[in-house]
Amino acid sequence: MEKKNKILMGALAVAVIIIALLLGYIIGSKGKKDDTAKQDVTTEASTTDEKTTEKTSEKATENDSEEKTTEADKKDTTEKAKTVEQYACYAKISAGDSWENEGKTVVQYNVDLFNKSKSKISDWEIQVDGFPTDAKVGDSWNGTIKLKDGVLHITAVDYNKDIESKGSVTGIGFQVYFKNKGDASSVSKNPDVYVGGELYTEAMPEKEKPKDVEPSEPPKVEKGTPFENHGKLSLKGTDIVDKNGEKYQLKGISTHGLAWFPEYVNKDAFKTLRDDWGANIIRLAMYTAESGGYCTDGNQTNLKKLVDDGVSYATELGMYVIIDWHILHDTNPLDNQDEAELFFAEMSQKYADYENVIYEICNEPNGGTEWSDVKTYADDIIPIIRKNDKDALIIVGTPTWSQDVDIAAKDPVDNPENVLYAIHFYAATHKDNIRSKLETAHDAGLPIFVSEFSICEASGNGTIDYDSADEWFDLINKLNLSYCGWNLSNKDEASSLIDSGCDKKSGWSEDDLSETGQWLRKTIKN
């Protein structure tokens, strides 16, 4: 009996164990499912943590690497960076034409040096690295050029050794003979500039803020004048239209540089051009980078006074007037953009209530300047004008001395309303090739303004080509383009409209005019 009880007790214990194991398995299976879900979440979190750790580790490695950078490496990096335009003195180099000569590749380079600092610099040197040691320098101009151990050294000559504040030395050029054609690609695009033997380190001066200017009240306009009859102008497609929506053609004259021929900015001169020539527009050409230029050594107060006088006289006479930011030797409008921003902010505030004022924001981009540079500049300047003058006509220059309107037509400015594009020509030099560019751009819907032209050679002097001039005007009139002829002065060159022997400042007779002046007077009158 005792043994039987023990057996029963043992069997009961086994049963309890089996039941416990079964319950444990069931509970365990459920737990595994829950744990699997938790494990999935944990795995994702772990992965994220691992990525974060990896990034942190990479950043730490980068920091460690940066900390381990030698002082020499830092100095080298800093020195290379000092050639960019954020610094107050910098140079630009661009490759021009290339050709083969006696088994070698010859490349012509152009270099411009800019002093944006607040003081004059002297004893300057530009160093360009990346030349192979077997390269040789050929012809050079506007600088002394030496090539040693792969570094090209450019030093000043007597006439350009001093650069005034906000001045520049442009047109430095040289030719280099390369043994291998591909070697030219290694030349540095960012030259180093040294002043007095030291790498120039002064930072670009901070931008000035535009001055608040009280809007000027327009003077009373004479009755029966072009503006009184046609009013505020705007664009309709490729055409300039008047206040009645009718096509209108502006026909007139450009001054020469205001700093050089200020005496022709007078009311009687403009009146002669209006009444005797039939002109309805005056272009006020204010050079920016030449001697006496607005951004170099010119008297800005006097230059702005000439602009103000010119605008006032033209307005009183009921004529339209262009305020022309006349870049030329500065080549790229970006070079003096800070000054341009201040200038056009002031002008557009001052003349916001004048309905006859037109703004030409960059005369002739050139020297390798690309349309992308001009467009960048225009897209910055146009909103500055529009902030004050919502709908004035604006003229944008185009590359290659304002000839590449066909390129601009492929990528117009961001805010195209009432914006025209400049084309310039000199009839004895620019013929079918430039006329073709004009027609291509016009056919593409680009509004174009001939804001400067003459009938002589591109130098502003030389031979007069009447046949080419007539072809140009056949096209101009066919397309209803507006124009301003160059230039109102008695300078001894073919493009001047007044004979060099005439000292009259207004009231010119036929005999007082040059050949170009006589031709243009007849053309405008007809």
Side-chain angles (χ1 to χ4, degrees), residues 489-505:
S489 80
N490 66 345
K491 186 178 179 182
D492 188 13
E493 62 180 19
S495 62
S496 298
L497 303 177
I498 314 302
D499 186 83
S500 59
C502 175
D503 60 3
K504 292 161 75 172
K505 305 302 181 292

Side-chain angles (χ1 to χ4, degrees), residues 354-408:
Y354 286 62
E355 296 187 332
N356 63 322
V357 173
I358 298 168
Y359 302 94
E360 185 170 3
I361 64 176
C362 54
N363 167 58
E364 288 184 353
N366 63 85
T369 299
E370 297 181 353
W371 171 245
S372 58
D373 296 329
V374 180
K375 184 177 183 297
T376 296
Y377 167 84
D379 286 339
D380 288 339
I381 298 294
I382 290 171
I384 290 172
I385 295 173
R386 290 287 180 246
K387 181 180 178 182
N388 304 305
D389 199 331
K390 302 299 183 186
D391 47 13
L393 294 179
I394 295 173
I395 303 170
V396 180
T398 55
T400 317
W401 294 276
S402 282
Q403 294 167 28
D404 293 341
V405 286
D406 55 329
I407 296 174

